[in-house]
Amino acid sequence: MGVKTIGIIGGGQLGLMIAEQAARLGARTISLDPAPDAPAFRVCDEHIVAAYDDAAALEELCRRSDVVTYEFENVPGEVIVPLMERYNIPQGYKPLFDSQDRVREKSNARDNGLQTPRFAEVIDRESLLRGLFEIGYPCVFKTRTLGYDGHGQVVLRRPEDIAKTEPYWGTPAILEEFVPFDYEASIVMVSDGERIVSFPIGQNIHREGILDLCLVPAPKMSDEVRGRLVRQSEAFMHRCGYKGILAIEYFIRGEEIYFNEMAPRPHNSGHYTIEGCTTNQFRELCRFLLGLPLEEPKLVAPTVMKNILGEDLEAAEAIAREIGHGTDSSQSRQEPGVYVHIYGKTVSKPKRKMGHITYVGMTPEQYDAEWRSRFVE
């Protein structure tokens, strides 16, 4: 069998890391992204500079690929659906469709066995007030589409906070019950349609709505909750008929598990798997795409993953120099168990994801004592 080519819609850091793992499996890659300096272009065999809704460019990407995936979940469905009839896009459009609208996403989760916070659809001030009457304070107002990393969200704790939602009026939104959770957790799974492999569950710590740290194994999670979360997540993926990769974020309150959101692509909280597990989320996605049998991941050692935002970049580059290796995402020299990944984005700015550092063989307590002070708080 000849060398296969994986087409990637999106050329960001996720596309970069997909391409790195595809190369290690002997596959070629081609990615499409509107930015001429997209990180994935540095490692892909070919690339196309075009908008995500450029039908002709997407058609060309598919024509030049044996199999196609996406690293960006807001690809317009009206462009993707016709391509599925002619090209090999094995994840399909359904997980994209289900995740692109928060009301649809929450309804789908609830209808397929997951517990969600109470929620209500918001289209105007009247429906907002009706939702507030049903759900009560505190609650969270979110735009239904395109919000991420805390964008398009307002926490409502009292009637006076309603004014903060005015900039979003006229935009479809959702009102959700505010869950006073103990911590957040996420799971990444890959399914070939028959078998699902699940990566160890991480506990996520956010800073201003953006993931800051992922702690694995989740230190606050009991074995009972851990097992139940895996079982219900895999059952959900089976029930929905999803294939490929799926990440789900949850709120954990005591023994209760609440669905928060999902993403049908590699996930920021799963970056620790590159060095922290015997196989990683990008590799298993590639194995699925290439028709290879999936490998069951195992945690190598307790691991901490630190997200590197623009304000952290200088510190991360200093650490890379100290431990004696470059900052290319594909490099992973150990010093000891410290792995620096810089994504190669040409513009750095606060809150922009610029890389990550994985600390293998490290507990949260060790990270706090030895590394936390190196970064902006």
Side-chain angles (χ1 to χ4, degrees), residues 101 121-123 141-145 168-174:
D101 179 294
E121 182 178 355
V122 175
I123 56 174
F141 174 96
K142 301 178 181 180
T143 55
R144 285 176 61 166
T145 62
Y168 302 105
W169 289 1
T171 301
I174 184 175

Side-chain angles (χ1 to χ4, degrees), residues 240-255:
C240 292
Y242 297 153
K243 295 181 182 179
I245 192 165
L246 183 73
I248 305 179
E249 296 181 354
Y250 291 100
F251 296 135
I252 312 297
R253 182 174 66 184
E255 301 296 295

Side-chain angles (χ1 to χ4, degrees), residues 93-136:
Y93 178 62
K94 189 173 186 298
L96 276 179
F97 179 78
D98 290 343
S99 66
Q100 286 175 336
D101 179 294
R102 285 193 167 99
V103 170
R104 188 163 61 233
E105 180 184 51
K106 286 287 195 306
S107 300
N108 180 64
R110 179 192 60 198
D111 295 345
N112 284 284
L114 300 182
Q115 180 176 214
T116 70
R118 289 178 296 158
F119 62 92
E121 182 178 355
V122 175
I123 56 174
D124 52 22
R125 179 182 173 85
E126 182 180 349
S127 56
L128 173 62
L129 294 175
R130 187 164 56 247
L132 284 167
F133 179 78
E134 294 172 359
I135 295 172

Side-chain angles (χ1 to χ4, degrees), residues 129-167:
L129 294 175
R130 187 164 56 247
L132 284 167
F133 179 78
E134 294 172 359
I135 295 172
Y137 295 99
C139 56
V140 185
F141 174 96
K142 301 178 181 180
T143 55
R144 285 176 61 166
T145 62
L146 300 179
Y148 64 96
D149 290 342
H151 298 293
Q153 299 186 19
V154 178
V155 178
L156 306 179
R157 299 184 183 280
R158 58 189 68 84
E160 292 77 15
D161 292 334
I162 294 175
K164 299 176 183 177
T165 69
E166 290 181 8

Side-chain angles (χ1 to χ4, degrees), residues 321-335:
R321 291 191 295 270
E322 287 175 23
I323 65 178
H325 69 79
T327 57
D328 187 272
S329 176
S330 64
Q331 297 194 27
S332 55
R333 179 173 169 182
Q334 185 174 355
E335 184 58 40

